[in-house]
Amino acid sequence: MTARRLPAVLTALGLCLAGTAQAQELVVGWAETNDTLNPVTTGKRNVGPILSNIFDTLVWISPDFEVEPLLATSWTVSDEGLTYVFQLRQDVTFHDGTRFDAAAVVANIDYITGEDTQSKISLGLLGPCGHAEATGDFEVTFTCDEIYAPLLAQMGEPYLGMQSPAAIEEYGPELGQNPVGTGPFKFVSWTPSQSIVLEKNPDYNWMAASLGHEGPAAIDRITFQIVPNPQSRVQQFQSGQSQVMQQTPGLYWKSLTATGRYTELPVEISGLGIFAPINASLFPTDDILVRKAIMYAVDQTALIQLAEAGVYPPSYTPLSVGMLGHDEDAAGKYPYDPEKAMSLLEEAGWTREGEIWEKDGQPLTVKITAISGKAHYMAQAQAIQGFLSEIGFDAQFEALNAPAWLDLNIDGGSTLTPSQYIGVDPDALHFWFLPDQYFNWSHWSDDALTDLIYQGRSELDPAKREAIYQQVQDILLDNAVILPIRQNLDLTLADKSVTGITWSGGGFQYFGAAAIAE
């Protein structure tokens, strides 16, 4: 009797074991603290990847900038380019059970454009297209005040992630501590400066087709362990306390990848790369010849070797490689040539009898700044200081806390400072080079440049747009108001057991299609 029952017992035992399979829990060593988890009010790039796992956007942008359906199934653009009509999925609910529909999209746009919201990145991404109307239960129409070619691609950035209208209403100013989206993961908790915890959305079944994943995420729980100290983040990863590490320091990237034990994920962050705006309103860089001297004096390849172990590709143009309008031919405008730099200073009336150039009794003093605590920016700034000092600049370096750094650059008190800016469209340049923009830290504008940027925004033909933005880059380089430094990569490492990590266009890590091998 016992023998006859044994197979049934084993079958039942097998079913029991299968039903209690160990949950997949992923720990990610995260490099930066967060200001908020509200997509509309954050101003930080590094919040974007976390948002992309909580919130869906109307469209998905692939790493090569292809626009795919996500919450929107299809869309049409009017012949004059002023109206975008989106057809929406009809099977989506927010994490709190609220239905996703056209009214929800309208509520999000009204929230973004509301005067009391204090929107940061998201409002700029909408451009002149900040009016949305529900023209059906699952149809929403955006109306633009003028043609805005970047709109469709920018709809895929996580800062335009759809939030539950009920949550917007309920949480008000506390929305950033209570994020509610439709994404593959739901918010669990946020312990400031320590961790953010997400759990799988079991109802999720609308991932972008190019990701090749159906149904909910395989990973049950993600903990973003916030470890700003690079060495501590590396130690955490090496000891197995985390299976993924972002922003791997260059020196460690070389040594860790050499072991062959980890999966290398150099996440490409599109936009303007890592660069330094050069202040054209401050003496002595109000003289174009001095600015050009700086461009010739800096060796990007050697700078990256000095500052970051040489692991990043250098950049010589304002737009990242792969961006629409990137012009490789413009990369040769300023080869490293310290002799040329010094001849330009002589041409500008500077003389050098001692170590420092002088003119009209004033030394050739420049102030190079960086955010304190941002090791890569500080190292880049100090490397630039070294190159300029070498040819006779009185190059001074100062590290500042973030608020002071922002204020100084906005007010025009810094000569140059390493920075970054992400974007999926070349119109990202307008934030830095149109008059009166928050980030116009070069404090320089030009009527011809302004006209071209507006032409680029309103031109729907990609080939014509590319030609326009190549002209834009030529003007910026010819006027030496931006010093390109390197391509912007988030050097992410993962344990070999973790597969399927990808990212959306712009460089936002996405774990919805990831899994951990048993």
Side-chain angles (χ1 to χ4, degrees):
M1 183 174 179
T2 302
R4 292 193 193 101
R5 290 173 57 89
L6 188 57
V9 171
L10 290 176
T11 300
L13 180 60
L15 288 172
C16 178
L17 291 173
T20 58
Q22 187 174 1
Q24 293 205 354
E25 298 191 9
L26 182 70
V27 177
V28 183
W30 207 248
E32 296 182 26
T33 57
N34 304 276
D35 52 354
T36 175
L37 294 178
N38 183 341
V40 177
T41 58
T42 184
K44 300 186 73 171
R45 191 222 79 86
N46 218 38
V47 177
I50 298 173
L51 298 177
S52 71
N53 289 280
I54 303 172
F55 301 97
D56 289 320
T57 47
L58 293 185
V59 300
W60 172 264
I61 305 298
S62 70
D64 55 359
F65 308 111
E66 293 295 324
V67 182
E68 299 180 47
L70 190 51
L71 290 178
T73 58
S74 63
W75 49 87
T76 56
V77 184
S78 63
D79 291 340
E80 74 280 7
L82 295 175
T83 304
Y84 291 72
V85 180
F86 293 88
Q87 305 301 323
L88 307 177
R89 294 190 69 103
Q90 302 183 25
D91 57 348
V92 176
T93 56
F94 289 94
H95 300 152
D96 61 1
T98 302
R99 184 176 81 161
F100 170 77
D101 55 15
V105 176
V106 171
N108 273 265
I109 302 306
D110 288 346
Y111 174 63
I112 291 169
T113 58
E115 291 183 4
D116 297 332
T117 302
Q118 297 184 328
S119 172
K120 292 187 173 65
I121 298 171
S122 57
L123 184 61
L125 295 176
L126 289 175
C129 306
H131 177 73
E133 178 185 359
T135 46
D137 284 353
F138 294 96
E139 179 183 277
V140 63
T141 299
F142 284 76
T143 304
C144 305
D145 296 330
E146 58 190 63
I147 299 173
Y148 190 55
L151 179 67
L152 191 58
Q154 291 178 173
M155 283 283 191
E157 291 199 32
Y159 309 103
L160 289 178
M162 291 291 106
Q163 305 191 70
S164 164
I168 293 173
E169 182 70 25
E170 177 181 354
Y171 294 114
E174 302 302 318
L175 187 61
Q177 289 74 49
N178 300 277
V180 182
T182 65
F185 295 95
K186 301 191 294 184
F187 174 74
V188 175
S189 66
W190 175 16
T191 305
S193 301
Q194 294 185 36
S195 67
I196 293 170
V197 180
L198 311 180
E199 66 182 9
K200 175 168 65 178
N201 174 8
D203 300 322
Y204 196 82
N205 193 27
W206 45 87
M207 202 170 293
S210 65
L211 296 175
H213 182 95
E214 294 185 3
I219 291 173
D220 296 285
R221 190 178 182 91
I222 301 178
T223 299
F224 294 93
Q225 201 74 45
I226 300 167
V227 189
N229 182 279
Q231 188 170 357
S232 297
R233 198 163 61 254
V234 170
Q235 290 173 346
Q236 178 199 55
F237 180 68
Q238 287 184 293
S239 67
Q241 296 174 64
S242 63
Q243 300 106 307
V244 178
M245 172 175 58
Q246 69 137 187
Q247 292 190 21
T248 307
L251 185 61
Y252 290 102
W253 175 264
K254 276 193 166 183
S255 61
L256 291 173
T257 55
T259 67
R261 295 172 52 197
Y262 307 109
T263 300
E264 303 165 26
L265 298 166
V267 179
E268 298 176 1
I269 303 172
S270 61
L272 278 61
I274 304 296
F275 65 99
I278 302 177
N279 189 345
S281 70
L282 183 70
F283 180 83
T285 47
D286 54 351
D287 185 336
I288 188 173
L289 294 176
V290 176
R291 298 198 300 272
K292 286 187 173 184
I294 290 173
M295 301 287 282
Y296 281 111
V298 175
D299 181 345
Q300 281 91 336
T301 299
L303 185 158
I304 297 162
Q305 186 64 49
L306 286 167
E308 299 173 288
V311 299
Y312 297 96
S315 178
Y316 303 100
T317 57
L319 289 175
S320 299
V321 173
M323 291 279 289
L324 176 72
H326 170 75
D327 187 4
E328 195 59 38
D329 291 339
K333 280 186 179 288
Y334 293 99
Y336 174 57
D337 190 343
E339 294 298 325
K340 174 71 172 178
M342 289 187 284
S343 71
L344 287 169
L345 294 175
E346 288 180 346
E347 183 182 344
W350 293 86
T351 59
R352 185 182 181 186
E353 295 182 0
E355 292 186 2
I356 305 298
W357 292 87
E358 292 186 356
K359 182 178 180 180
D360 300 328
Q362 296 189 70
L364 185 60
T365 300
V366 291
K367 185 172 186 176
I368 305 166
T369 60
I371 307 178
S372 59
K374 300 283 188 182
H376 57 297
Y377 286 150
M378 293 176 65
Q380 291 160 10
Q382 289 172 312
I384 293 170
Q385 178 190 28
F387 285 116
L388 298 184
S389 297
E390 202 169 285
I391 65 163
F393 278 77
D394 174 26
Q396 301 177 1
F397 167 71
E398 184 176 7
L400 301 163
N401 62 42
W405 176 77
L406 286 167
D407 289 343
L408 186 69
N409 282 283
I410 292 167
D411 293 341
S414 173
T415 304
L416 59 86
T417 187
S419 189
Q420 67 168 322
Y421 196 78
I422 63 164
V424 297
D425 187 275
D427 185 54
L429 289 167
H430 97 257
F431 292 102
W432 289 85
F433 299 105
L434 284 186
D436 302 321
Q437 287 292 314
Y438 178 87
F439 287 114
N440 190 339
W441 293 356
S442 62
H443 299 274
W444 176 89
S445 60
D446 175 82
D447 289 343
L449 178 77
T450 298
D451 289 345
L452 281 169
I453 288 176
Y454 277 108
Q455 286 179 38
R457 299 175 73 180
S458 60
E459 177 55 65
L460 298 177
D461 184 318
K464 292 180 179 178
R465 292 193 81 214
E466 182 162 18
I468 288 168
Y469 284 107
Q470 288 175 350
Q471 293 180 63
V472 168
Q473 291 176 94
D474 280 339
I475 291 173
L476 294 174
L477 291 172
D478 287 345
N479 285 276
V481 289
I482 179 172
L483 172 66
I485 297 174
R486 66 164 170 82
Q487 294 294 310
N488 196 1
L489 302 176
D490 185 341
L491 300 180
T492 300
L493 285 176
D495 187 88
K496 292 282 189 182
S497 64
V498 183
T499 60
I501 299 173
T502 186
W503 54 92
S504 61
F508 304 101
Q509 288 93 329
Y510 184 77
F511 299 97
I516 304 172
E518 296 293 337

